[in-house]
Amino acid sequence: MTDNNRVPLYRTIWRWHFYAGLFVIPFVLILSATGAAYLFKPELDHWEERAWRGLPTAGKVDADAQVAAALAANPGASFHYYRIPEAPGDAAVVHIGLPGGGMRDIAVSPQGKVIGAADPEQRISAWLSRIHGTLLIGRTGRLLVELAASWAIVMILTGLYLWWPRGRGAAGVLWPRLSLGGRMALRDLHAVTGFWVSGLALILLFTALPWTEVWASGFRTVRAEMGWVSGVQDWKGGANPHTAHDHHAMAAAEPAGPPPRARLEYILLRARAEHMPAPAIIQPPGAPNAFGPPNGDVWTLTTLTQNRPLVRKVSYDPETSLEVSRSGFADKHAIDRAVGYGIAWHEGQLFGLANQLIGVATALALFTLAISGFLMWRRRRPDDALGAPPAARDPAKLKGVAALILLLSALLPLLAASLILLWIVERLILPRLPRAARWLGVAAKAPARL
């Protein structure tokens, strides 16, 4: 590409990068902080339950007595599942639905005494998840997070183009020249950090898409039309409430039919031989599930581990306690397995501590990008304008940018919707507000005729 062609292209991509970055900076700061903390959900949950561990084991009662104690302490509650203690001295956790709505995790000692209770929705990890997914403003927050993720992808891709060496040496490309100080050191820190984190950041963004609202709804439709569905979608995503983790529905649900004749203790004995990854749970017949319809007329052993490839289910006859079926990650459709791997990576649980540390490093790098980008903007911003890079004057030479944006818009619906809105604002509204147009760095045009 000749220099004459490169200048308008570079300038245009710089403008896209500027506007995308300015929009996503606050979201990057919030989502990086909450996401990094949520990577340690198992550790946070363990810490909150520290008083429920290392208890005496003398006088131990069976699992049925522990469930009975939890229900006796909460009259009218329904039994949803029994969480198997990880160690002999740990309390069992009986998850119940309260008659007036809501759920509780009831800690029952090995001796069958209720020693504590926790609202799952008030755990630290649940609070972090709500901020990370909804900004604490419900569906509007989910849409904003999805929109920010879409523009963050634009920011990273345009940033990679701006970083491209173009004949420069490694200094300032692979490592920052901090000794130069001032604007150059800040620019190098921003560019080099962006290069090194770009791949991991894109993985995080794309693995988050199945949890979104608009993108996930379209994805679910495509899965159904293409015949990619095998079993229940076991992640929350899309506008369909039946695929979401509906705590209110779980709380209201009650096990159907007569109580099983096979005691929970018999199922627990079989469950221990399965060595199910913690937190392993046993659901009674008819108990509600986090995803999909209620449990069938069987006892079900499964796990709540975030490492999705380790998730499996074993079902037992309610009369004889004999195994009747089992299913695992390998039985899912390839698309669901790919999503499962992505979710496990995104939550930092695919391969333990190393995955968590990589996630923290990614979050810190994104945090650095946001802060350094903001400081660069503040340094170069004039007093009377937003400080956007000047627009290219030859749109005919920008077909590559247009093709890239169209491709991303086809893949990211909210990006497409926001671009249409921006086009309307630029063509129909800003021409009537020349002062605002100049401040935003948008060339003033004659008002369009309606």
Side-chain angles (χ1 to χ4, degrees):
M1 182 182 294
T2 66
D3 290 340
N4 289 337
N5 287 332
R6 184 180 294 123
V7 171
L9 177 61
Y10 186 92
R11 186 176 292 177
T12 298
I13 290 180
W14 186 15
R15 280 174 67 85
W16 279 99
H17 185 73
F18 173 84
Y19 286 121
L22 207 58
F23 170 66
V24 304
I25 278 176
F27 296 99
V28 167
L29 294 175
I30 295 171
L31 300 182
S32 294
T34 54
Y38 190 80
L39 292 169
F40 297 92
K41 177 184 183 299
E43 290 79 6
L44 289 170
D45 290 347
H46 272 240
W47 180 80
E48 287 190 286
E49 297 178 358
R50 60 195 181 281
W52 302 353
R53 301 178 184 276
L55 305 172
T57 57
K60 183 177 180 181
V61 300
D62 63 24
D64 297 273
Q66 290 178 310
V67 171
L71 295 177
N74 296 273
S78 56
F79 172 37
H80 288 181
Y81 64 72
Y82 175 93
R83 199 177 83 198
I84 303 173
E86 295 180 42
D90 291 350
V93 175
V94 181
H95 187 79
I96 61 172
L98 300 177
M103 295 179 294
R104 291 293 183 272
D105 289 330
I106 308 299
V108 184
S109 72
Q111 294 76 27
K113 295 182 179 179
V114 173
I115 59 172
D119 182 348
E121 290 292 278
Q122 299 304 316
R123 289 181 180 270
I124 296 173
S125 58
W127 179 72
L128 289 169
S129 178
R130 286 196 295 275
I131 298 177
H132 193 77
T134 71
L135 307 176
L136 300 181
I137 52 176
R139 185 171 185 266
T140 300
R142 287 198 300 274
L143 293 172
L144 282 173
V145 169
E146 182 176 354
L147 180 62
S150 301
W151 278 100
I153 292 171
V154 173
M155 179 190 69
I156 291 169
L157 293 177
T158 54
L160 284 173
Y161 177 86
L162 298 175
W163 163 88
W164 195 258
R166 297 179 184 84
R168 289 182 293 156
V173 174
L174 298 181
W175 62 82
R177 296 166 292 184
L178 300 179
S179 60
L180 297 178
R183 287 180 59 179
M184 188 58 70
L186 192 59
R187 176 262 169 211
D188 280 7
L189 178 64
H190 185 80
V192 172
T193 301
F195 162 67
W196 286 111
V197 78
S198 58
L200 291 172
L202 286 172
I203 290 173
L204 274 185
L205 291 167
F206 280 111
T207 55
L209 290 177
W211 282 319
T212 57
E213 183 101 354
V214 179
W215 190 95
S217 295
F219 178 58
R220 187 182 61 248
T221 300
V222 170
R223 286 174 66 237
E225 292 295 328
M226 298 297 292
W228 294 343
V229 179
S230 178
V232 176
Q233 175 181 311
D234 59 354
W235 69 88
K236 53 182 178 180
N240 188 337
H242 297 295
T243 65
H245 192 145
D246 191 343
H247 288 288
H248 299 290
M250 288 184 67
E254 296 185 7
R261 294 177 59 184
R263 298 173 59 227
L264 172 60
E265 186 67 19
Y266 299 160
I267 308 301
L268 179 59
L269 291 174
R270 295 184 180 277
R272 292 193 185 281
E274 292 288 338
H275 303 290
M276 193 74 70
I281 64 170
I282 300 174
Q283 301 168 286
N289 279 299
F291 306 99
N295 197 28
D297 296 328
V298 290
W299 286 100
T300 299
L301 166 68
T302 188
T303 173
L304 302 179
T305 180
Q306 293 168 275
N307 191 351
R308 297 302 182 94
L310 299 183
V311 174
R312 51 196 171 93
K313 289 186 176 183
V314 185
S315 297
Y316 302 93
D317 187 277
E319 300 292 324
T320 65
S321 79
L322 297 177
E323 179 184 326
V324 294
S325 66
R326 66 173 56 224
S327 62
F329 190 72
D331 300 312
K332 295 182 176 295
H333 191 278
I335 297 296
D336 286 6
R337 294 201 301 273
V339 171
Y341 279 114
I343 290 174
W345 167 272
H346 192 98
E347 294 187 333
Q349 303 302 317
L350 188 58
F351 45 87
L353 180 60
N355 195 167
Q356 291 173 312
L357 295 179
I358 291 172
V360 170
T362 303
L364 288 174
L366 289 171
F367 211 91
T368 301
L369 277 182
I371 296 298
S372 59
F374 176 78
L375 293 176
M376 290 168 63
W377 169 65
R378 289 293 299 168
R379 286 194 172 206
R380 67 179 298 275
R381 175 182 175 269
D383 293 335
D384 59 347
L386 183 63
R393 296 183 178 180
D394 190 356
K397 296 178 180 179
L398 305 177
K399 295 180 180 178
V401 178
L404 175 62
I405 296 301
L406 286 175
L407 175 62
L408 288 175
S409 299
L411 297 174
L412 303 168
L414 281 190
L415 175 63
S418 63
L419 288 173
I420 293 171
L421 178 61
L422 289 174
W423 184 88
I424 293 173
V425 170
E426 183 175 350
R427 294 302 180 96
L428 302 181
I429 299 177
L430 288 181
R432 292 170 168 79
L433 303 170
R435 186 175 297 178
R438 285 194 298 272
W439 187 84
L440 290 169
V442 178
K445 299 180 179 68
R449 293 182 180 274
L450 297 177

